[in-house]
Amino acid sequence: MKYDFTSIMERSGKDAVAVDGPGHDPNAPGLPKDGFDFIPMWVADMNFPTVPAVPKAVIARANHPAYGYFDISDDYYDAIIRWHETRNGITGLCKEHIGYENGVLGGVISALSSYASPGDAVLLHSPAYIGFTECLTQNGYRIIRSELKKDAQGVFRMDYTDMEDKIKAHHIHVAIICSPHNPSGRVWERRELEQAMKIFEENEVIVISDEIWSDILLNGSKHIPTQSVSAYAHEHTAAFYAPSKTFNLAGLIGSYHIIYNRSLRDRITSKGEKTHYNSINVLSMHALIGAYSPDGQEWTDELCQTLSTNAAYACDYISAHFAHISVSRPQGTYMLFLDCTDWCRIRQQTIDQLLQAGWDVGVGWQDGRPFYGPCHIRMNLALPLSRVKDAFERLSQYVFSSPSRV
């Protein structure tokens, strides 16, 4: 490969919650016992250096010693338009359809507050990204969960009957779609999105589509933008994107929406503008331009190859070595969602005890309960394969294959 996805990057002391959080952050895994180093597999950022085009663009701009007020450049919008045309086959996207957001979750709340009031019900698939559950609850919305169901092949699927029943029963007019889905790793097929959108259209539901993971596709999976599946979807969906997951840029802040319908766009944009906080940082603008460059395209392709290898290794290892642990093989994202229900029942252990056993040997995995996984663990695979192997070998030796604790 042209780019480096094998070197172990030292992140300690470099403002990284993923590695500096244990022992300090109350939401972080515990510190490992003596003799084990920490392998960060909890926070959903990557332990790879970003594409060199990003620091090159940021440093080039930072070298000019003036950082005053500025307007978003045409280069920023052109980079987004080219990216979506190349990656997702989108045509007809124009500057006017694109708007800056400090973060996807902030955009979600702007969209929600444009079409729902505190106390209103919002449809959300479950398991669900913890950010959705927190921001909806904190802003007073009622979460109505529609459980994803595993088919005979272990693939998560939408339950359309359940979705429609709950939309009608709770008078729901706003729904959130996560595409690709976090934490399950599903990349929705066009027919699945079409069926979901048919239900939304029949019930006059506005759709908020979080597509922040849309570039991270495994084993040739294809992302289908929600807005592309029907005329209704095109005009009644607010889609949110960011380079942060793809290029490890969360610390720079910067997302954007794509909204085609003028009325929808005006209402949502006005919410962000009224706060006077939803303003782009000049270095974030140049970071996106660097990321969405031809070099970024090539780097992303290599990233997806690397993550496909990591996911295949992890799933195959679990199947071969971790009896009674179930996992759906991800099609996108770099997350695994382990169902430990049977293992905990058979071993007569709690999920807290299992989590602690992993943390003790330096495997920094994440409690799945905040994602509505009652006996689940979420794992980040965006590390060099050597580190992924270290983690699973420790789990095999000390956690799953032996009843003893270190």
Side-chain angles (χ1 to χ4, degrees):
M1 287 189 175
K2 178 178 177 180
Y3 298 100
D4 182 8
F5 296 99
T6 59
S7 297
I8 299 173
M9 181 171 60
E10 178 54 63
R11 301 181 70 191
S12 297
K14 298 298 182 183
D15 314 305
V17 172
V19 296
D20 293 336
H24 304 284
D25 188 326
N27 297 314
L31 289 170
K33 292 189 174 182
D34 290 344
F36 297 97
D37 65 332
F38 183 72
I39 303 175
M41 305 182 82
W42 64 296
V43 174
D45 67 8
M46 297 191 292
N47 292 276
F48 302 126
T50 191
V51 61
V54 168
K56 180 180 179 181
V58 171
I59 291 168
R61 176 60 187 86
N63 279 334
H64 188 281
Y67 313 101
Y69 294 109
F70 69 101
D71 289 321
I72 300 177
S73 70
D74 285 340
D75 288 343
Y76 173 87
Y77 294 107
D78 291 344
I80 292 172
I81 292 168
R82 285 195 305 269
W83 186 263
H84 284 274
E85 183 175 10
T86 303
R87 309 299 297 188
N88 299 323
I90 295 299
T91 59
L93 179 60
C94 301
K95 174 180 176 180
E96 67 188 61
H97 305 139
I98 301 167
Y100 175 78
E101 301 284 351
N102 272 346
V104 165
L105 292 177
V108 167
I109 293 302
S110 290
L112 272 173
S113 60
S114 299
Y115 289 92
S117 299
D120 287 351
V122 178
L123 189 74
L124 183 65
H125 287 127
S126 181
Y129 169 45
I130 186 175
F132 293 149
T133 60
E134 289 182 346
C135 73
L136 267 66
T137 301
Q138 290 166 358
N139 284 274
Y141 298 101
R142 290 190 297 122
I143 299 172
I144 303 300
R145 294 188 289 145
S146 180
E147 296 284 343
L148 300 177
K149 304 294 185 183
K150 285 187 180 181
D151 65 14
Q153 287 71 47
V155 177
F156 280 97
R157 302 285 183 185
M158 299 184 202
D159 185 337
Y160 301 111
T161 300
D162 181 70
M163 289 167 61
E164 185 162 24
D165 288 348
K166 287 177 175 173
I167 287 171
K168 292 182 183 300
H170 297 277
H171 309 288
I172 292 173
H173 290 284
V174 182
I176 297 175
I177 291 282
C178 189
S179 179
H181 184 265
N182 172 25
S184 76
R186 266 309 314 276
V187 175
W188 304 117
E189 301 164 17
R190 178 175 292 276
R191 63 180 181 84
E192 293 176 297
L193 292 171
E194 287 174 344
Q195 181 63 29
M197 198 55 63
K198 182 179 178 182
I199 293 169
F200 296 143
E201 181 175 5
E202 291 172 350
N203 291 278
E204 300 181 351
V205 174
I206 295 293
V207 179
I208 298 168
S209 187
D210 173 7
E211 305 188 26
I212 196 172
W213 294 96
S214 60
D215 301 319
I216 301 180
L217 305 168
L218 309 182
N219 301 309
S221 296
K222 174 66 175 174
H223 173 68
I224 307 297
T226 304
Q227 291 164 321
S228 71
V229 302
S230 70
Y232 182 86
H234 189 271
E235 294 299 309
H236 295 84
T237 301
F240 294 91
Y241 297 88
S244 55
K245 283 289 181 275
T246 311
F247 296 98
N248 216 21
L249 305 181
L252 282 175
I253 307 299
S255 306
Y256 58 91
H257 68 237
I258 294 177
I259 307 173
Y260 293 101
N261 181 284
R262 178 180 171 183
S263 176
L264 190 70
R265 184 170 65 244
D266 287 348
R267 293 181 69 171
I268 293 172
T269 300
S270 70
K271 293 289 183 178
E273 289 177 344
K274 286 181 173 63
T275 66
H276 296 280
Y277 285 101
N278 200 41
S279 300
I280 190 169
N281 179 296
V282 69
L283 297 183
S284 293
M285 178 176 72
H286 286 274
L288 180 142
I289 294 169
Y292 283 3
S293 65
D295 284 350
Q297 299 266 7
E298 185 179 16
W299 184 91
T300 301
D301 289 340
E302 291 192 4
L303 170 68
C304 291
Q305 292 176 41
T306 299
L307 295 174
S308 295
T309 299
N310 288 4
Y313 171 85
C315 291
D316 290 345
Y317 196 99
I318 290 168
S319 178
H321 297 88
F322 299 170
H324 312 297
I325 298 295
S326 173
V327 65
S328 182
R329 192 173 292 260
Q331 301 166 335
T333 81
Y334 45 72
M335 310 306 296
L336 284 185
F337 203 52
L338 279 60
D339 184 346
C340 308
T341 305
D342 290 341
W343 190 91
C344 286
R345 175 179 52 80
I346 291 168
R347 293 296 185 97
Q348 296 185 324
Q349 288 197 25
T350 66
I351 191 65
D352 288 306
Q353 290 173 311
L354 179 55
L355 284 163
Q356 187 64 55
W359 298 342
D360 284 347
V361 296
V363 178
W365 51 9
Q366 187 176 24
D367 189 348
R369 285 171 292 188
F371 300 83
Y372 297 126
C375 196
H376 291 66
I377 295 175
R378 195 175 81 142
M379 297 185 74
N380 177 351
L381 299 177
L383 303 88
L385 181 58
S386 62
R387 293 262 75 187
V388 176
K389 289 181 176 180
D390 284 347
F392 279 91
E393 287 166 4
R394 292 183 197 182
L395 292 174
S396 179
Q397 181 176 356
Y398 299 107
V399 178
F400 288 115
S401 296
S402 171
S404 63
R405 295 281 299 278
V406 294

